[in-house]
Amino acid sequence: MARSAQSGNCGTHRQCAVSRERKPLDELLRFAVDPDGRAVPDLKARLPGRGVWLTCARDVVEKAAKGGVFDKGFRHPVKTAESLADTVESLLKRDALQRLSLANKAGLVVCGFDKVAKVLRNDGAAILLHAADASPDGCAKLDRLARSGAGGTRPAAAVLCNFNAEQMSLALGRPNVVHAALKQGGPRGKFLDAVARLERFRAGGAVYAAA
């Protein structure tokens, strides 16, 4: 029985090559070696060959890139770009925005101040999205509606400010998006998972807890 439990744990946990701690896969990032001999992020953990796992945190990736961790993990010298942590963050951000786009195609995203306000008042929106460069005044007004929880009949909406207006506009295929509401539905969970991963990477462990 003990061997069976250990085997199951092996399938869902890996050891961070920097901290040497065993962690769940959703708290880690996998890296592989590309045909040019470079260490590259493998966010979906699908690339062939030996992999090196790191805690999903910018400071951990930066330490690994500078400290020869990849050479040791892959058991041979590999090229490691100084900008590796920036590359990881860019890929995590792109993944989250792609999932937001899928939620939009599923009809779960509402844009524009007035439409978002209506959803917050009446339709029980689960997530409120502000562009990082949105007007503080507009954000404050919608935040108050989010905190009110549709007159106290539901929990307050969560608020995310992870992307700027240009990024949100491209993801949603609409111009000048600064506020949006993400309603409940299938693709919502995948988007929140991707945002949590991005926030974990940026903050070194602070995770957005999706409802």
Side-chain angles (χ1 to χ4, degrees):
M1 294 296 292
R3 178 175 295 181
S4 176
Q6 185 176 8
S7 176
N9 184 64
C10 183
T12 58
H13 291 66
R14 293 290 187 276
Q15 185 179 71
C16 171
V18 171
S19 70
R20 314 307 294 177
E21 295 180 83
R22 292 189 65 81
K23 296 186 176 184
L25 295 184
D26 61 1
E27 296 181 14
L28 298 165
L29 296 167
R30 184 180 188 269
F31 292 80
V33 179
D34 72 5
D36 295 323
R38 298 175 300 182
V40 294
D42 178 20
L43 299 190
K44 298 185 183 298
R46 294 177 181 172
L47 294 178
R50 185 178 183 83
V52 169
W53 295 83
L54 299 177
T55 299
C56 185
R58 168 176 277 276
D59 57 340
V60 174
V61 174
E62 290 175 342
K63 183 175 181 178
K66 296 176 181 178
V69 171
F70 290 112
D71 291 353
K72 183 176 180 180
F74 289 117
R75 300 178 182 174
H76 61 80
V78 297
K79 303 172 186 175
T80 307
E82 293 183 1
S83 59
L84 184 61
D86 292 333
T87 299
V88 171
E89 181 167 349
S90 178
L91 291 173
L92 291 172
K93 186 185 300 181
R94 184 175 69 180
D95 181 52
L97 288 168
Q98 287 175 341
R99 295 183 186 280
L100 178 61
S101 179
L102 290 174
N104 181 53
K105 291 176 182 177
L108 301 180
V109 181
V110 174
C111 300
F113 185 94
D114 292 338
K115 292 181 179 179
V116 170
K118 182 178 179 180
V119 168
L120 292 174
R121 291 190 187 100
N122 304 316
D123 295 345
I127 304 296
L128 172 60
L129 303 173
H130 295 310
D133 47 353
S135 162
D137 182 59
C139 292
K141 291 177 180 177
L142 290 174
D143 287 347
R144 284 194 291 272
L145 286 175
R147 288 194 297 269
S148 71
T153 61
R154 62 171 175 81
V159 180
L160 299 178
C161 306
N162 302 88
F163 315 105
N164 62 35
E166 180 181 5
Q167 292 163 344
M168 288 177 61
S169 298
L170 287 173
L172 299 175
R174 308 177 195 184
N176 304 317
V177 177
V178 292
H179 306 291
L182 176 60
K183 296 183 286 187
Q184 298 185 30
R188 179 184 69 126
K190 294 292 187 181
F191 169 68
L192 293 180
D193 288 345
V195 169
R197 203 178 190 193
L198 174 62
E199 290 187 343
R200 183 184 296 117
F201 180 80
R202 287 172 167 172
V207 182
Y208 172 78

